Amino acid sequence: MRPKNLEKEQAIRTVALDIIAKEGLENLSMQKLAKAANVSPRTIYIKYENKEDFLVKLFINEVLEPYEQAVLKDFSEQMDFADGVKKIWMNTFQYLKNNRPAFAIIQYSKSSLLLNKAYQQQNIQQGQFFAPIHRFIAANIKAGTIKNFHFDVYRAMIFPVLLELVSEYFDYTERPKQIITEKVLLECCATVIKGIMK
């Protein structure tokens, strides 16, 4: 791809993230994106089949890798289980609260199977991303700290509560008082950990 085309491609993605941040994912259309990026809709459709194809590629190129790096910052799979989960929660919360477009795409991926399509398109295997968390869970199962559930069960127990709290955080940014404080987040995290540990 020529440098000018790469610049145009990056501009389209940047504008898309800006629209998602300001107006929500549901208000992103290819026509609106083309107009805001100052390109013709045809330019977008040369590279992407439709909105979903665009979002899959946006998720892979702009969200997945930075999200993984943020979640794993200062995390070690050798951590005590409670400390490890707390570190994952705090990292995830800090990243998502400062990256509303990424949060919107992650939320959308749950209902649209976007994540699965993104993984299939790039031939990403389970465990390729967030591998230290997979090993962390496996080590704690082996040590008998937590019950022997499949990793996907642990993902369902650890992350949905956190993502709902992030959603509430954004809801309360428009209200007089923010209810999702670090103290509340840590108390909720402790409750989840207590429910998981043997």
Side-chain angles (χ1 to χ4, degrees), residues 164-182:
E164 280 302 314
L165 290 168
V166 174
S167 184
E168 290 299 324
Y169 171 83
F170 285 125
D171 284 349
Y172 274 82
T173 55
E174 306 295 321
R175 300 185 193 187
K177 186 180 177 188
Q178 177 58 262
I179 64 162
I180 308 301
T181 62
E182 188 171 313

Side-chain angles (χ1 to χ4, degrees), residues 94-157:
Q94 288 303 320
Y95 174 74
L96 293 177
K97 84 170 192 175
N98 295 316
N99 291 279
R100 196 167 187 169
F103 177 67
I105 293 170
I106 289 164
Q107 289 294 85
Y108 176 74
S109 73
K110 292 190 308 184
S111 60
S112 73
L113 302 175
L114 178 70
L115 186 61
N116 287 337
K117 287 181 182 176
Y119 276 28
Q120 286 166 14
Q121 219 175 70
Q122 295 295 308
N123 198 26
I124 297 168
Q125 303 301 311
Q126 187 172 33
Q128 189 173 330
F129 279 86
F130 303 102
I133 297 176
H134 286 253
R135 292 191 295 267
F136 171 71
I137 297 288
N140 278 280
I141 289 170
K142 190 174 180 184
T145 312
I146 57 177
K147 295 183 175 97
N148 188 8
F149 293 132
H150 189 277
F151 176 77
D152 287 341
V153 174
Y154 278 106
R155 186 167 42 87
M157 288 194 284

